Amino acid sequence: MSKQRENHETRPGAARRAAIISAALFLCVSCAPRTARERQRELRGVTVRAWWSGATTSDCAELLAEPIEAELAKIEGVSRLITRCDKTGCSILLQHDSTVDSRRIAFQADAAIKRLETNLPEGAGAAVYPSDLHRRPDLVVALVLNAPKVKTEHYGAARQFARRLMQLPSVVRYEVPGSPEQEIRVDVDPALAGKYGVSVSDITEAIRNNIVLIDECTRVIVGQNPAEEGDVGDIVLKKLGRAKVKIKDVARIRSVSVPAAVYHVDGEPAILIKVFLRSGASAAEARACLDRVLKQKRPAPVKRVVPISLVSDW
Protein backbone atom coordinates (compact mmCIF):
# COMPACT_ATOMS: atom_id res chain seq x y z
CA MET A 1 0.00 0.00 0.00
CA SER A 2 1.32 3.41 -0.92
CA LYS A 3 2.57 5.58 1.93
CA GLN A 4 2.97 8.62 -0.35
CA ARG A 5 2.12 11.91 1.34
CA GLU A 6 -0.67 13.78 -0.44
CA ASN A 7 -1.28 17.52 -0.44
CA HIS A 8 -4.89 17.87 0.69
CA GLU A 9 -6.97 20.89 -0.24
CA THR A 10 -8.29 22.99 2.60
CA ARG A 11 -10.71 25.87 2.74
CA PRO A 12 -10.13 29.14 4.65
CA GLY A 13 -11.62 28.85 8.11
CA ALA A 14 -12.34 25.11 7.68
CA ALA A 15 -10.88 24.35 11.10
CA ARG A 16 -13.36 26.76 12.68
CA ARG A 17 -16.38 25.61 10.76
CA ALA A 18 -18.29 22.39 11.45
CA ALA A 19 -18.97 20.28 8.38
CA ILE A 20 -22.63 20.41 7.36
CA ILE A 21 -23.84 16.86 7.09
CA SER A 22 -27.40 15.92 6.16
CA ALA A 23 -27.31 13.05 8.65
CA ALA A 24 -26.43 15.51 11.45
CA LEU A 25 -23.05 14.05 12.37
CA PHE A 26 -21.01 16.21 14.71
CA LEU A 27 -17.31 16.63 15.38
CA CYS A 28 -16.53 15.02 18.72
CA VAL A 29 -13.90 16.42 21.04
CA SER A 30 -11.60 14.20 23.03
CA CYS A 31 -12.92 13.10 26.40
CA ALA A 32 -10.96 13.13 29.64
CA PRO A 33 -8.96 9.95 30.33
CA ARG A 34 -10.81 7.29 32.26
CA THR A 35 -9.72 5.97 35.60
CA ALA A 36 -8.72 2.32 35.99
CA ARG A 37 -12.04 1.60 37.71
CA GLU A 38 -13.99 3.20 34.87
CA ARG A 39 -12.04 1.15 32.32
CA GLN A 40 -12.90 -2.00 34.24
CA ARG A 41 -16.62 -1.18 34.01
CA GLU A 42 -16.45 -0.57 30.25
CA LEU A 43 -18.76 -2.84 28.28
CA ARG A 44 -17.70 -4.42 25.04
CA GLY A 45 -19.65 -6.60 22.68
CA VAL A 46 -19.77 -9.55 20.32
CA THR A 47 -22.51 -9.66 17.69
CA VAL A 48 -24.45 -12.63 16.35
CA ARG A 49 -26.16 -11.82 13.07
CA ALA A 50 -28.94 -14.27 12.13
CA TRP A 51 -30.86 -14.25 8.84
CA TRP A 52 -33.91 -16.01 7.43
CA SER A 53 -34.90 -15.20 3.87
CA GLY A 54 -38.59 -14.46 3.31
CA ALA A 55 -39.56 -14.52 7.01
CA THR A 56 -41.63 -11.87 8.76
CA THR A 57 -40.29 -9.74 11.60
CA SER A 58 -42.40 -11.64 14.17
CA ASP A 59 -41.22 -15.00 12.80
CA CYS A 60 -37.60 -13.86 13.08
CA ALA A 61 -38.14 -12.72 16.66
CA GLU A 62 -40.00 -15.84 17.84
CA LEU A 63 -38.59 -18.70 15.78
CA LEU A 64 -35.07 -17.46 15.07
CA ALA A 65 -33.95 -15.11 17.84
CA GLU A 66 -35.50 -16.82 20.87
CA PRO A 67 -33.73 -20.22 20.54
CA ILE A 68 -30.44 -18.47 19.79
CA GLU A 69 -30.87 -16.14 22.77
CA ALA A 70 -31.55 -19.11 25.06
CA GLU A 71 -28.28 -20.75 24.04
CA LEU A 72 -26.19 -17.58 24.12
CA ALA A 73 -27.47 -16.73 27.61
CA LYS A 74 -25.56 -19.76 28.94
CA ILE A 75 -22.17 -18.26 28.04
CA GLU A 76 -20.25 -17.27 31.16
CA GLY A 77 -19.14 -13.64 31.18
CA VAL A 78 -22.04 -12.26 29.11
CA SER A 79 -23.73 -9.50 31.10
CA ARG A 80 -26.60 -8.66 28.76
CA LEU A 81 -28.20 -9.73 25.46
CA ILE A 82 -29.71 -7.02 23.27
CA THR A 83 -31.67 -8.20 20.24
CA ARG A 84 -33.06 -6.33 17.25
CA CYS A 85 -35.15 -8.13 14.62
CA ASP A 86 -36.66 -7.04 11.33
CA LYS A 87 -37.78 -8.85 8.17
CA THR A 88 -34.15 -9.47 7.14
CA GLY A 89 -33.20 -11.24 10.36
CA CYS A 90 -31.86 -10.43 13.81
CA SER A 91 -28.78 -8.86 15.39
CA ILE A 92 -27.99 -10.09 18.89
CA LEU A 93 -25.41 -8.13 20.87
CA LEU A 94 -23.63 -10.01 23.66
CA GLN A 95 -22.35 -7.34 26.05
CA HIS A 96 -19.51 -8.24 28.39
CA ASP A 97 -17.10 -6.47 30.73
CA SER A 98 -13.76 -5.29 29.35
CA THR A 99 -12.01 -7.72 31.71
CA VAL A 100 -13.50 -10.59 29.69
CA ASP A 101 -11.74 -11.66 26.47
CA SER A 102 -13.98 -10.94 23.47
CA ARG A 103 -12.33 -13.77 21.55
CA ARG A 104 -13.49 -16.29 24.16
CA ILE A 105 -17.06 -14.97 24.02
CA ALA A 106 -16.99 -15.09 20.20
CA PHE A 107 -15.61 -18.66 20.23
CA GLN A 108 -18.33 -19.86 22.60
CA ALA A 109 -21.03 -18.02 20.65
CA ASP A 110 -19.85 -19.73 17.46
CA ALA A 111 -19.98 -23.10 19.22
CA ALA A 112 -23.53 -22.34 20.40
CA ILE A 113 -24.60 -21.48 16.83
CA LYS A 114 -23.15 -24.75 15.54
CA ARG A 115 -25.11 -26.72 18.18
CA LEU A 116 -28.30 -24.98 17.05
CA GLU A 117 -27.84 -25.33 13.29
CA THR A 118 -30.10 -28.36 12.87
CA ASN A 119 -32.83 -26.76 15.01
CA LEU A 120 -33.01 -23.43 13.18
CA PRO A 121 -35.82 -22.88 10.66
CA GLU A 122 -35.12 -24.13 7.15
CA GLY A 123 -33.24 -21.49 5.17
CA ALA A 124 -32.01 -19.71 8.31
CA GLY A 125 -28.43 -19.23 9.39
CA ALA A 126 -26.24 -17.21 11.72
CA ALA A 127 -22.69 -15.88 11.98
CA VAL A 128 -20.60 -14.44 14.82
CA TYR A 129 -18.72 -11.14 14.58
CA PRO A 130 -16.10 -10.53 17.30
CA SER A 131 -17.17 -6.91 17.76
CA ASP A 132 -20.20 -4.76 18.46
CA LEU A 133 -21.55 -4.03 14.97
CA HIS A 134 -23.60 -1.17 16.39
CA ARG A 135 -20.91 0.63 18.41
CA ARG A 136 -19.78 4.10 17.45
CA PRO A 137 -17.01 4.28 14.86
CA ASP A 138 -13.63 5.38 16.18
CA LEU A 139 -13.35 7.88 13.37
CA VAL A 140 -15.39 9.13 10.43
CA VAL A 141 -14.06 10.83 7.31
CA ALA A 142 -15.88 12.31 4.33
CA LEU A 143 -14.73 11.93 0.76
CA VAL A 144 -15.78 15.22 -0.86
CA LEU A 145 -16.43 14.60 -4.54
CA ASN A 146 -15.41 16.56 -7.58
CA ALA A 147 -18.87 16.04 -9.09
CA PRO A 148 -22.29 17.75 -8.91
CA LYS A 149 -23.90 14.71 -7.27
CA VAL A 150 -23.07 11.24 -5.96
CA LYS A 151 -23.31 8.40 -8.49
CA THR A 152 -23.16 4.63 -8.01
CA GLU A 153 -19.61 4.41 -9.36
CA HIS A 154 -18.46 6.88 -6.70
CA TYR A 155 -19.38 4.35 -4.01
CA GLY A 156 -17.17 1.79 -5.74
CA ALA A 157 -14.23 4.19 -5.52
CA ALA A 158 -15.05 4.92 -1.87
CA ARG A 159 -15.14 1.22 -0.98
CA GLN A 160 -11.83 0.68 -2.75
CA PHE A 161 -10.33 3.51 -0.67
CA ALA A 162 -11.86 2.03 2.50
CA ARG A 163 -10.44 -1.43 1.76
CA ARG A 164 -6.95 0.10 1.67
CA LEU A 165 -7.54 1.46 5.16
CA MET A 166 -7.88 -2.11 6.45
CA GLN A 167 -4.10 -2.40 6.08
CA LEU A 168 -3.53 0.36 8.64
CA PRO A 169 -2.58 -0.62 12.22
CA SER A 170 -5.54 -1.28 14.57
CA VAL A 171 -8.24 -1.00 11.84
CA VAL A 172 -10.60 -3.99 12.01
CA ARG A 173 -13.70 -2.88 10.09
CA TYR A 174 -15.19 -0.11 7.98
CA GLU A 175 -18.63 0.96 6.82
CA VAL A 176 -19.68 3.10 3.86
CA PRO A 177 -23.14 4.32 4.96
CA GLY A 178 -25.66 5.16 2.28
CA SER A 179 -24.33 2.76 -0.37
CA PRO A 180 -27.08 1.95 -2.89
CA GLU A 181 -28.51 -1.54 -2.53
CA GLN A 182 -30.02 -3.67 -5.25
CA GLU A 183 -33.40 -5.11 -4.33
CA ILE A 184 -35.24 -7.79 -6.32
CA ARG A 185 -38.97 -7.17 -6.53
CA VAL A 186 -41.56 -9.71 -7.60
CA ASP A 187 -44.70 -8.06 -8.98
CA VAL A 188 -47.39 -10.75 -9.19
CA ASP A 189 -49.93 -10.62 -12.03
CA PRO A 190 -53.25 -11.65 -10.39
CA ALA A 191 -54.74 -12.85 -13.68
CA LEU A 192 -51.79 -15.10 -14.54
CA ALA A 193 -51.51 -16.35 -10.97
CA GLY A 194 -55.20 -17.26 -11.03
CA LYS A 195 -54.81 -18.97 -14.41
CA TYR A 196 -52.14 -21.31 -13.04
CA GLY A 197 -53.77 -21.68 -9.62
CA VAL A 198 -51.01 -20.13 -7.51
CA SER A 199 -51.26 -17.50 -4.80
CA VAL A 200 -48.93 -14.85 -3.44
CA SER A 201 -48.29 -17.04 -0.39
CA ASP A 202 -47.31 -19.92 -2.73
CA ILE A 203 -44.74 -17.63 -4.37
CA THR A 204 -43.44 -16.39 -1.01
CA GLU A 205 -43.05 -19.95 0.24
CA ALA A 206 -41.27 -21.05 -2.96
CA ILE A 207 -38.77 -18.21 -2.66
CA ARG A 208 -38.16 -19.00 1.01
CA ASN A 209 -37.55 -22.68 0.23
CA ASN A 210 -35.26 -22.13 -2.75
CA ILE A 211 -33.01 -19.25 -1.70
CA VAL A 212 -30.19 -19.97 0.71
CA LEU A 213 -28.16 -17.19 2.33
CA ILE A 214 -24.60 -18.28 3.04
CA ASP A 215 -24.04 -15.00 4.83
CA GLU A 216 -25.45 -11.48 4.66
CA CYS A 217 -23.86 -10.83 1.27
CA THR A 218 -23.90 -14.24 -0.42
CA ARG A 219 -27.12 -15.62 -1.85
CA VAL A 220 -27.56 -18.99 -3.54
CA ILE A 221 -30.65 -19.86 -5.56
CA VAL A 222 -31.31 -23.59 -5.45
CA GLY A 223 -32.68 -25.04 -8.68
CA GLN A 224 -33.07 -28.45 -10.30
CA ASN A 225 -30.61 -27.36 -12.99
CA PRO A 226 -28.29 -24.87 -11.28
CA ALA A 227 -26.41 -24.15 -14.51
CA GLU A 228 -29.61 -22.91 -16.11
CA GLU A 229 -31.73 -21.79 -13.20
CA GLY A 230 -29.92 -18.87 -11.63
CA ASP A 231 -32.65 -16.30 -11.18
CA VAL A 232 -35.57 -15.82 -8.80
CA GLY A 233 -37.89 -15.97 -11.82
CA ASP A 234 -36.69 -19.53 -12.59
CA ILE A 235 -37.91 -20.96 -9.28
CA VAL A 236 -40.54 -23.63 -10.04
CA LEU A 237 -43.91 -23.12 -8.37
CA LYS A 238 -45.69 -26.26 -9.60
CA LYS A 239 -45.83 -28.78 -12.40
CA LEU A 240 -48.70 -29.13 -14.87
CA GLY A 241 -48.03 -32.40 -16.64
CA ARG A 242 -44.59 -32.04 -18.18
CA ALA A 243 -44.69 -28.26 -17.99
CA LYS A 244 -43.21 -26.26 -15.13
CA VAL A 245 -44.87 -23.11 -13.84
CA LYS A 246 -42.13 -20.73 -12.78
CA ILE A 247 -42.34 -17.45 -10.89
CA LYS A 248 -41.53 -15.53 -14.09
CA ASP A 249 -44.65 -17.05 -15.68
CA VAL A 250 -46.92 -15.29 -13.19
CA ALA A 251 -44.91 -12.25 -12.09
CA ARG A 252 -42.64 -9.49 -13.31
CA ILE A 253 -39.14 -9.70 -11.83
CA ARG A 254 -37.20 -6.48 -11.59
CA SER A 255 -34.10 -5.24 -9.84
CA VAL A 256 -34.29 -1.76 -8.37
CA SER A 257 -31.72 0.41 -6.63
CA VAL A 258 -32.84 1.31 -3.13
CA PRO A 259 -32.24 5.05 -2.55
CA ALA A 260 -29.11 5.75 -0.52
CA ALA A 261 -28.62 8.35 2.18
CA VAL A 262 -27.32 11.66 0.82
CA TYR A 263 -24.48 13.53 2.52
CA HIS A 264 -23.17 17.05 1.90
CA VAL A 265 -20.06 18.71 3.34
CA ASP A 266 -20.17 22.50 3.02
CA GLY A 267 -22.85 22.07 0.38
CA GLU A 268 -20.80 19.65 -1.73
CA PRO A 269 -21.67 15.97 -2.33
CA ALA A 270 -19.71 13.56 -0.19
CA ILE A 271 -19.46 9.91 0.82
CA LEU A 272 -18.76 8.98 4.43
CA ILE A 273 -16.48 6.22 5.65
CA LYS A 274 -16.77 4.95 9.22
CA VAL A 275 -13.62 3.33 10.58
CA PHE A 276 -13.57 0.94 13.55
CA LEU A 277 -10.41 0.11 15.48
CA ARG A 278 -9.63 -2.90 17.62
CA SER A 279 -11.34 -3.08 21.00
CA GLY A 280 -9.47 -1.07 23.57
CA ALA A 281 -7.59 1.08 21.06
CA SER A 282 -6.17 4.17 22.76
CA ALA A 283 -6.83 7.82 21.93
CA ALA A 284 -3.27 8.07 20.57
CA GLU A 285 -3.93 5.11 18.22
CA ALA A 286 -7.15 6.72 16.97
CA ARG A 287 -5.41 10.05 16.30
CA ALA A 288 -2.49 8.31 14.58
CA CYS A 289 -4.90 6.31 12.44
CA LEU A 290 -6.75 9.46 11.38
CA ASP A 291 -3.46 11.07 10.39
CA ARG A 292 -2.59 8.03 8.25
CA VAL A 293 -6.04 8.03 6.64
CA LEU A 294 -5.65 11.66 5.60
CA LYS A 295 -2.31 10.83 3.97
CA GLN A 296 -3.71 8.05 1.78
CA LYS A 297 -3.87 8.56 -1.98
CA ARG A 298 -7.33 9.80 -2.91
CA PRO A 299 -9.50 8.12 -5.58
CA ALA A 300 -9.82 10.08 -8.82
CA PRO A 301 -13.34 11.48 -8.17
CA VAL A 302 -12.37 12.70 -4.65
CA LYS A 303 -10.95 16.21 -4.34
CA ARG A 304 -10.34 16.17 -0.59
CA VAL A 305 -10.75 14.01 2.52
CA VAL A 306 -12.33 15.76 5.49
CA PRO A 307 -12.22 14.47 9.11
CA ILE A 308 -15.75 14.48 10.52
CA SER A 309 -15.47 12.85 13.95
CA LEU A 310 -12.94 11.25 16.25
CA VAL A 311 -14.40 9.21 19.08
CA SER A 312 -11.65 7.78 21.23
CA ASP A 313 -10.81 6.82 24.81
CA TRP A 314 -14.37 7.03 26.14
Side-chain angles (χ1 to χ4, degrees), residues 45-48 72 75 78 94 96 101-113 128-131:
V46 169
T47 303
V48 171
L72 296 178
I75 299 175
V78 173
L94 292 72
H96 62 87
D101 189 346
S102 290
R103 291 170 297 181
R104 180 179 66 80
I105 299 293
F107 178 81
Q108 293 189 29
D110 187 63
I113 295 301
V128 179
Y129 297 84
S131 60

Side-chain angles (χ1 to χ4, degrees), residues 2-292:
S2 171
K3 297 293 183 182
Q4 180 182 3
R5 180 178 296 270
E6 293 284 323
N7 290 322
H8 298 276
E9 299 179 25
T10 57
R11 291 185 166 192
R16 300 187 300 274
R17 198 168 56 243
I20 301 173
I21 304 296
S22 62
L25 288 171
F26 297 96
L27 187 64
C28 177
V29 296
S30 235
C31 300
R34 295 166 297 174
T35 64
R37 182 170 296 180
E38 287 170 333
R39 288 181 184 273
Q40 194 170 25
R41 289 200 302 266
E42 178 190 1
L43 289 178
R44 296 179 183 171
V46 169
T47 303
V48 171
R49 177 65 185 161
W51 55 87
W52 184 11
S53 178
T56 64
T57 299
S58 58
D59 282 345
C60 285
E62 295 173 15
L63 304 178
L64 184 60
E66 289 186 8
I68 295 177
E69 287 172 328
E71 199 68 25
L72 296 178
K74 301 174 184 177
I75 299 175
E76 185 178 355
V78 173
S79 58
R80 177 174 291 125
L81 295 177
I82 302 172
T83 303
R84 179 187 183 278
C85 293
D86 56 30
K87 63 183 179 181
T88 67
C90 302
S91 289
I92 305 172
L93 173 63
L94 292 72
Q95 283 189 338
H96 62 87
D97 193 272
S98 60
T99 57
V100 179
D101 189 346
S102 290
R103 291 170 297 181
R104 180 179 66 80
I105 299 293
F107 178 81
Q108 293 189 29
D110 187 63
I113 295 301
K114 284 181 169 58
R115 289 195 299 270
L116 280 172
E117 279 180 343
T118 56
N119 296 324
L120 293 178
E122 186 176 354
V128 179
Y129 297 84
S131 60
D132 176 1
L133 294 183
H134 302 291
R135 73 181 177 92
R136 295 187 182 203
D138 292 276
L139 58 103
V140 179
V141 295
L143 306 185
V144 180
L145 302 174
N146 188 18
K149 62 180 180 179
V150 180
K151 296 182 179 180
T152 302
E153 57 265 28
H154 293 149
Y155 281 100
R159 282 191 290 270
Q160 188 175 32
F161 178 82
R163 283 193 290 271
R164 293 209 311 268
L165 302 184
M166 291 296 292
Q167 299 178 45
L168 297 178
S170 301
V171 176
V172 296
R173 186 166 62 89
Y174 70 84
E175 290 179 4
V176 182
S179 297
E181 297 179 353
Q182 292 298 311
E183 184 175 272
I184 297 176
R185 295 188 180 174
V186 180
D187 301 323
V188 180
D189 185 319
L192 289 175
K195 174 183 175 182
Y196 290 110
V198 296
S199 64
V200 172
S201 60
D202 293 331
I203 296 172
T204 302
E205 188 66 21
I207 293 174
R208 177 183 294 179
N209 292 337
N210 286 275
I211 293 184
V212 178
L213 293 181
I214 302 302
D215 56 38
E216 293 178 273
C217 302
T218 308
R219 184 186 65 178
V220 176
I221 300 177
V222 180
Q224 293 180 348
N225 300 302
E228 299 175 7
E229 300 182 4
D231 190 273
V232 173
D234 290 312
I235 294 175
V236 177
L237 294 170
K238 64 189 301 185
K239 292 184 179 181
L240 294 176
R242 294 184 178 181
K244 296 177 181 177
V245 180
K246 300 179 180 180
I247 290 181
K248 65 184 179 183
D249 296 324
V250 299
R252 177 188 172 211
I253 314 298
R254 55 195 177 101
S255 178
V256 298
S257 182
V258 179
V262 176
Y263 298 95
H264 289 167
V265 174
D266 293 332
E268 296 181 291
I271 296 176
L272 266 58
I273 298 179
K274 298 180 179 180
V275 181
F276 299 82
L277 306 184
R278 65 175 182 81
S279 295
S282 67
E285 285 179 273
R287 286 191 292 271
C289 183
L290 177 59
D291 183 56
R292 292 187 180 101

Side-chain angles (χ1 to χ4, degrees), residues 19 140-144 265 294 304-309:
V140 179
V141 295
L143 306 185
V144 180
V265 174
L294 296 178
R304 66 182 185 278
V305 180
V306 178
I308 298 300
S309 68

